[in-house]
C-alpha cells in the first residue's frame, strides 16, 4: 500500500510520503477508480483534507483500501457506501441523492438517461422498499437494513460495477 501511495507522488516527494498528500487528480488515476462512477465521491469521503481539495494522506489511502478489501465487514462497507451515496453530506439519502445515484449508475449519456417519469417511478420504488419510517428519506440504519438483505453487496463491495 505504501509503495502504491508513494508512486502517486512526484519523485522528489516520495521520500516523505508518510507526511505528503496526494492530489485527487493522482488518486483518480488508480485503475480501481478510473472507471468507477463514484470516483469523485470516494475521494471526497475518504479525504481528511482541511482545504476541501479531496487530496489524501497515506492514512486516508489506507482507510480507502481497507474498506474496499475483501476482509472489510458488510457494516463497514455499507457505512461508507451510504456516505458516498449521500451526495449533499446531510446524513440522509433524499430524492436528490437518489436521482444522482441513479444517474451515476446508468451513465450520463442521452441514450442511457431515464425519463422524468421513469426516474420518479424508480425513486418511489426505492423509497417504498427502504424508507421504513416513511419520512421521505433513507437514513443509515434503513440503508443497512436493505443492504443486509442483499448478499451481493458484501461480496462485491457495493460500490464496484
Amino acid at each position: 500500500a505504501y509503495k502504491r501511495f508513494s508512486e502517486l507522488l512526484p519523485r522528489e516527494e516520495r521520500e516523505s510520503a508518510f507526511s505528503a498528500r496526494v492530489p485527487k487528480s493522482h488518486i483518480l488515476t488508480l485503475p480501481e477508480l478510473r472507471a468507477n462512477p463514484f470516483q469523485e465521491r470516494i475521494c471526497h469521503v475518504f479525504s481528511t483534507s482541511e482545504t476541501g481539495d479531496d487530496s489524501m494522506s497515506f492514512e486516508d489511502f489506507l482507510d480507502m483500501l481497507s474498506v474496499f478489501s475483501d476482509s472489510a465487514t458488510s457494516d463497514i462497507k455499507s457505512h461508507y457506501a451510504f456516505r458516498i451515496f449521500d451526495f449533499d453530506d446531510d446524513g440522509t439519502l433524499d430524492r436528490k441523492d437518489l436521482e444522482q445515484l441513479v444517474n451515476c449508475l446508468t451513465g450520463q449519456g442521452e441514450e442511457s438517461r431515464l425519463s422524468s417519469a421513469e426516474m420518479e417511478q424508480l425513486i418511489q420504488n426505492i423509497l417504498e422498499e427502504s424508507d421504513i419510517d416513511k419520512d421521505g428519506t433513507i437514513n443509515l440504519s434503513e440503508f443497512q437494513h436493505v443492504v443486509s438483505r442483499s448478499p451481493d453487496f458484501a461480496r462485491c463491495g457495493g460500490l464496484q460495477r
Side-chain angles (χ1 to χ4, degrees):
Y2 181 77
K3 184 177 185 301
R4 286 194 76 193
F5 181 78
S6 63
E7 288 171 351
L8 295 170
L9 290 165
R11 283 203 192 287
E12 63 275 8
E13 291 181 41
R14 290 183 183 169
E15 302 238 344
S16 60
F18 277 118
S19 59
R21 294 194 72 81
V22 171
K24 176 173 75 171
S25 60
H26 294 205
I27 298 289
L28 294 177
T29 65
L30 291 167
E32 297 88 343
L33 289 180
R34 207 173 298 139
N36 191 307
F38 301 102
Q39 60 180 225
E40 298 282 332
R41 288 294 303 162
I42 291 168
C43 287
H44 178 74
V45 165
F46 287 97
S47 172
T48 57
S49 171
E50 293 178 8
T51 64
D53 64 0
D54 294 343
S55 63
M56 286 193 193
S57 67
F58 181 59
E59 276 192 40
D60 298 339
F61 188 72
L62 279 179
D63 287 344
M64 179 181 70
L65 292 181
S66 68
V67 168
F68 286 104
S69 79
D70 291 341
S71 59
T73 66
S74 181
D75 274 356
I76 289 172
K77 288 182 183 291
S78 62
H79 170 81
Y80 279 95
F82 180 84
R83 288 188 55 205
I84 290 164
F85 300 159
D86 181 13
F87 290 89
D88 58 10
D89 294 317
D90 69 352
T92 63
L93 303 183
D94 59 17
R95 287 178 171 276
K96 267 198 163 78
D97 292 319
L98 294 174
E99 186 171 334
Q100 281 187 268
L101 173 59
V102 170
N103 284 335
C104 278
L105 291 172
T106 59
Q108 300 299 317
E110 274 306 309
E111 70 286 344
S112 61
R113 181 166 282 137
L114 298 181
S115 70
S116 294
E118 291 169 326
M119 179 68 78
E120 182 53 38
Q121 184 60 58
L122 181 56
I123 289 172
Q124 195 56 45
N125 292 350
I126 292 169
L127 288 171
E128 282 175 18
E129 179 76 21
S130 311
D131 182 16
I132 297 166
D133 63 9
K134 302 299 179 206
D135 67 351
T137 65
I138 301 167
N139 63 36
L140 177 59
S141 64
E142 290 168 331
F143 181 78
Q144 288 181 319
H145 176 73
V146 169
V147 165
S148 71
R149 298 181 309 183
S150 173
D152 287 345
F153 183 88
R155 193 181 75 247
C156 73
L159 299 173
Q160 296 142 341
R161 278 180 117 172

